[in-house]
Amino acid sequence: MERTLVLVKPDAVQRGLIGEVIARLERRGLRLVAARFVQVDRKLAERHYAVHKGKPFYDGLIAYITSAPVMAMVWEGPNAIAAVRQTMGSTRPTEAAPGSIRHDFGLTVGRNLTHASDSPQTAQEEVNLWFKPDELITWERDLDRWIFDA
Ligand code: IDP
Ligand code: MG
């Protein structure tokens, strides 16, 4: 079982797509662990995107992620990290697979709607950055045995 951080970024919040993103992750079979609606401050933005510091798009990225609230969530399931990245689609919407969120709702990399952790290590770091341990809910869903095979 893996856990991964998902952000519905400011453009998707402004466009009324929080429910759409949640619906797709639920329909995929993933299980919600935590959720918080957050106005991101510069400090959190810089910590979250530290790996991109110094890149040409960094200042624009910090402005983007702090421009309106985000819906931060943790989702879990078998292969959750890869599954959620796939549901989001490639970083550039024009390279994202048809049926993915970035394909279906996006045009440009600077407004690509969502964030999802890209590896087990970043998933753990990002979950810890955005949520306190007691905000992560461990629970069982009656449907789990029909979706998870372990
Ligand atoms: P990811 O969100 O698919 O993991 P990353 O390469 O980690 O993609 O980049 C983080 C975010 O930075 C992207 O989702 C996008 O919002 C933004 N970004 C990445 N590359 C560019 C670019 O070339 N121009 C503008 N923004 C970019
Ligand atoms: Mg990334």
Side-chain angles (χ1 to χ4, degrees), residues 9 49 52 57 61 64 85 91-92 102 109-110 112 115:
K9 297 201 289 200
Y49 281 129
H52 296 300
F57 59 83
L61 179 58
Y64 168 37
R85 294 280 295 182
T91 306
R92 296 179 185 281
R102 285 165 168 173
V109 68
N112 64 354
H115 168 84

Side-chain angles (χ1 to χ4, degrees), residues 29-98:
L30 294 154
R31 192 168 61 190
L32 185 63
V33 173
R36 195 157 54 91
F37 191 52
V38 198
Q39 175 60 59
V40 179
D41 62 18
R42 194 171 172 96
K43 187 173 158 225
L44 178 57
E46 288 182 350
R47 288 183 70 187
H48 178 72
Y49 281 129
V51 67
H52 296 300
K53 196 171 171 66
K55 295 184 184 169
F57 59 83
Y58 178 76
D59 289 346
L61 179 58
I62 298 299
Y64 168 37
I65 202 70
T66 57
S67 62
V70 307
M71 188 70 178
M73 298 178 281
V74 178
W75 289 82
E76 72 182 351
N79 308 308
I81 296 164
V84 173
R85 294 280 295 182
Q86 184 183 41
T87 290
M88 300 319 177
S90 297
T91 306
R92 296 179 185 281
T94 52
E95 294 168 9

